[in-house]
Amino acid sequence: MDSQLLPVLLLLLLQASGPWGQGPGTEGPSAEPPKEEVSEEDGVLVLSRHTLSLALREHPALLVEFYAPWCGHCKALAPEYSKAAALLAAESAKTRLAKVDGPAEPELTKEFAVTEYPTLKFFRDGNRTHPEDYTGPREAKGIAEWLRRRMGSSATRLEDEEGTQALIDAQDVVVIGFFQDLQDEDVATFLALAQDAVDMTFGLTDQPQLFQTFGLTKDTVVLFKKFDEGRADFPVDEELGLDQEELSRFLLTHSMHLVTEFNSQTSPKIFAARILNHLLLFINQTLAPHQELLADFREAATPFRGQVLFVVVDVGADNNHVLQYFGLKAEEAPTLRFINTETTKKYTPAERGPVTAASVTAFCHAVLSGKFKPYLLSQEVPPDWDQRPVKTLVGKNFEQVAFDETKNVFIKFYAPWCTHSKEMAPAWEALAKKYRDHKDIIIAELDATANELEAFVVHAFPTLKYFPAGPGRKVIEYKSARDLETLSKFLDNGGKLSEEEPTKESLAPFLETPANSTSEPKEEL
């Protein structure tokens, strides 16, 4: 080789092999990707599996929402989430809000066991292994307050009567813990509860003069309110200490008005009160004779506090969904209805008499003692219920059709307002047309918001159930894909699928009636 070419070849080899001859240089195909930066959208950090660790290192307090682009509840939360981020930013708070597109980041959803959307998790001090589940409200102020109470004190320390009275006067409901020793375990229990109860203002004190001012001789949690009794005391058990669950139930019960008017603002609190029995008075607030009934209704409520929640529903307001749920028309007011929200059983007075304190009390006692039978809603059977490919069922003809021992009956239980029910309607109609000539197969549907069944309660829409022919009243719940091919395969195999997998599309949560609990709205993966 020409000796003049040797230095040139060595130089080329060194350039190709990178530093110290250990492989391709920084411009080669195996070069490390450029470091990703965390992006923002409306004040909310947008994270991926590559940037989550970076965000955890940079932010000591991080609330992360796992969402799905198709999730309706996520879309409803989005503007409130951004407002909460803006509120915290205006305070120069250390807490940041972030979000992760769950379907696009399966590794993260698996790591954090995300099974429904939206799911929110709170990370503190970069701890990736033990995030705290978010348990707060879904509106901006509530989100911000939930985070503030985790990063600071959840209760105001009170030293004198002037400051205590100022706190009491500032809000409709104020909770103050009077503890002789602020190092006691009961104080930690009190503060832990205060972290989550963001709709109430909390204070605490150990000052003897304040015990004296408010007539206390032992540790007590006092709820001050600007309505009804004005004050409710929860003495701390000297032997067992402060029970957080019992205190929570006490505060929820006594922070409610004796009589609560049902509307979009009060409904979440009504269902969060954990009182299963609700008595509803339906009136027209524009009519003076109807308004006069409220005094008697309130009088009857006092002895039932904590056992029965007394609720007023204005039939003249936007409460048609409540009327529909109880099978009522506005012109039937004034009238009473009783419901147990756990069993969803409804009760109506035996006779339509005047609404007085005595009649309301007697009705409550009768229902609670088991003397009344619940009633079931049912529409009338349409004359042409069996004329279309999809048969129309109601409460009054459900039993005879569904449990006909000579027929295999496939029923869709739906809600008229449910988007998932609407989306699968064409496939259900196509299925009915495909099997219309099979004498032993019936494809039917039932509006479960207008018809109730003694056999079972429908909690989600659409719910699909298969009732095979033969004795025994067997019922098989269908939980697979809702396309024509899979539905047909299910029928052809006698109510079975060889590899039945849950559908990716979730069942729409049944959250829009007074009978349902207020667990946070979410959609399954």
Side-chain angles (χ1 to χ4, degrees):
M1 178 180 294
D2 192 332
S3 59
Q4 292 182 341
L5 293 176
L6 187 58
V8 177
L9 289 172
L10 287 172
L11 180 60
L12 290 173
L13 284 170
L14 286 171
Q15 288 177 336
S17 61
W20 306 105
Q22 294 177 354
T26 56
E27 300 302 319
S30 299
E32 291 185 10
K35 182 180 178 181
E36 285 199 46
E37 293 184 359
V38 178
S39 60
E40 281 192 29
E41 201 172 89
D42 297 326
V44 176
L45 304 177
V46 181
L47 304 180
S48 67
R49 63 186 180 280
H50 301 299
T51 58
L52 175 61
S53 295
L54 177 62
L56 289 174
R57 287 196 300 271
E58 291 183 355
H59 305 291
L62 189 68
L63 180 65
V64 180
E65 175 205 2
F66 293 85
Y67 74 97
W70 45 260
C71 169
H73 300 306
C74 300
K75 293 175 183 177
L77 174 62
E80 296 297 321
Y81 203 60
S82 295
K83 289 177 188 175
L87 287 173
L88 293 168
E91 302 167 6
S92 300
K94 294 180 179 180
T95 307
R96 290 300 306 268
L97 272 61
K99 62 181 180 180
V100 171
D101 182 340
E105 300 290 344
E107 293 178 14
L108 292 182
T109 57
K110 182 179 180 181
E111 178 183 353
F112 298 108
V114 176
T115 59
E116 52 193 4
Y117 298 122
T119 289
L120 289 85
K121 293 184 179 288
F122 179 58
F123 297 83
R124 194 194 298 265
D125 299 324
N127 187 332
R128 184 169 181 149
T129 55
H130 295 92
E132 179 183 356
D133 289 334
Y134 177 80
T135 57
R138 294 301 173 92
E139 46 80 30
K141 290 183 179 178
I143 295 170
E145 183 61 23
W146 190 92
L147 291 167
R148 286 189 202 103
R149 294 194 184 186
R150 268 150 182 77
M151 299 307 293
S153 176
S154 56
T156 302
R157 180 80 174 266
L158 302 170
E159 301 290 350
D160 53 43
E161 186 175 346
E162 183 180 359
T164 303
Q165 196 59 51
L167 184 69
I168 294 172
D169 292 341
Q171 303 292 336
D172 287 344
V173 175
V174 174
V175 180
I176 299 179
F178 293 82
F179 299 99
Q180 297 173 62
D181 180 5
L182 293 185
Q183 303 306 313
D184 194 282
E185 287 184 13
D186 293 332
V187 176
T189 301
F190 177 79
L191 292 174
L193 185 149
Q195 279 193 334
D196 287 326
V198 296
D199 58 339
M200 300 181 196
T201 298
F202 286 78
L204 81 163
T205 185
D206 62 350
Q207 299 299 306
Q209 70 269 24
L210 290 178
F211 274 74
Q212 185 176 356
T213 299
F214 293 97
L216 301 172
T217 58
K218 55 180 290 188
D219 288 5
T220 306
V221 177
V222 181
L223 183 146
F224 297 92
K225 51 187 174 180
K226 295 179 180 176
F227 51 87
D228 296 337
E229 309 95 327
R231 168 177 168 173
D233 290 14
F234 187 88
V236 177
D237 191 299
E238 293 181 358
E239 293 183 5
L240 301 177
L242 190 63
D243 185 288
Q244 185 170 336
E245 187 174 340
E246 287 185 9
L247 176 59
S248 175
R249 188 181 301 111
F250 172 85
L251 295 181
L252 283 168
T253 299
H254 288 273
S255 64
M256 301 281 295
H257 288 254
L258 269 172
V259 174
T260 304
E261 182 172 348
F262 183 89
N263 54 47
S264 59
Q265 286 74 43
T266 61
S267 60
K269 196 165 186 177
I270 288 173
F271 299 120
R274 303 177 198 167
I275 299 173
L276 301 179
N277 298 306
H278 294 184
L279 179 65
L280 292 86
L281 172 63
F282 291 83
I283 61 171
N284 189 326
Q285 293 273 35
T286 63
L287 303 177
H290 285 209
Q291 288 188 346
E292 292 170 2
L293 302 176
L294 291 174
D296 278 64
F297 193 60
R298 184 174 289 106
E299 180 184 339
T302 303
F304 292 100
R305 184 185 275 283
Q307 186 180 20
V308 180
L309 199 60
F310 279 57
V311 180
V312 173
V313 181
D314 183 4
V315 300
D318 185 21
N319 289 318
N320 289 336
H321 59 296
V322 185
L323 290 169
Q324 181 184 6
Y325 184 76
F326 285 91
L328 286 171
K329 295 179 180 177
E331 51 266 29
E332 294 182 65
T335 188
L336 295 167
R337 290 296 183 271
F338 192 107
I339 182 171
N340 181 288
T341 59
E342 184 176 48
T343 64
T344 70
K345 291 180 178 179
K346 306 180 185 71
Y347 303 84
T348 183
E351 298 178 0
R352 186 175 177 180
V355 176
T356 65
S359 67
V360 170
T361 300
F363 179 46
C364 281
H365 281 308
V367 173
L368 293 173
S369 63
K371 295 179 180 178
F372 266 70
K373 285 189 65 176
Y375 70 92
L376 297 172
L377 293 180
S378 177
Q379 296 172 310
E380 293 300 320
V381 180
D384 60 345
W385 72 271
D386 61 347
Q387 299 304 301
R388 297 187 303 110
V390 177
K391 313 306 177 189
T392 303
L393 300 187
V394 296
K396 293 182 177 179
N397 67 348
F398 169 78
E399 285 277 330
Q400 69 180 74
V401 176
F403 295 109
D404 184 338
E405 296 183 1
T406 66
K407 301 288 194 297
N408 297 293
V409 185
F410 204 7
I411 303 176
K412 176 183 73 173
F413 299 88
Y414 71 96
W417 44 258
C418 170
T419 55
H420 296 301
S421 298
K422 294 174 183 177
E423 287 169 0
M424 75 159 293
W428 199 247
E429 186 73 26
L431 185 73
K433 290 179 179 177
K434 181 175 180 179
Y435 290 91
R436 73 164 73 193
D437 295 329
H438 292 66
K439 301 299 182 184
D440 62 337
I441 293 179
I442 292 178
I443 309 298
E445 63 183 9
L446 182 144
D447 179 353
T449 66
N451 298 278
E452 296 173 323
L453 309 173
E454 194 169 353
F456 49 80
V457 178
V458 178
H459 290 290
F461 303 119
T463 289
L464 307 181
K465 291 183 182 289
Y466 180 72
F467 302 78
R473 295 170 65 90
K474 295 179 181 177
V475 183
I476 299 170
E477 185 158 357
Y478 178 88
K479 291 186 177 181
S480 191
R482 297 167 186 164
D483 58 272
L484 178 60
E485 181 182 355
T486 312
L487 292 166
S488 300
K489 188 186 298 183
F490 178 78
L491 284 178
D492 293 341
N493 291 339
K496 295 179 181 178
L497 287 174
S498 54
E499 294 182 2
E500 193 168 359
E501 297 181 359
T503 172
K504 184 176 181 181
E505 179 186 15
S506 71
L507 295 176
F510 181 28
L511 295 169
E512 298 188 23
T513 70
N516 205 63
S517 66
T518 53
S519 56
E520 294 294 346
K522 294 182 179 180
E523 295 193 39
E524 300 170 3
L525 270 65

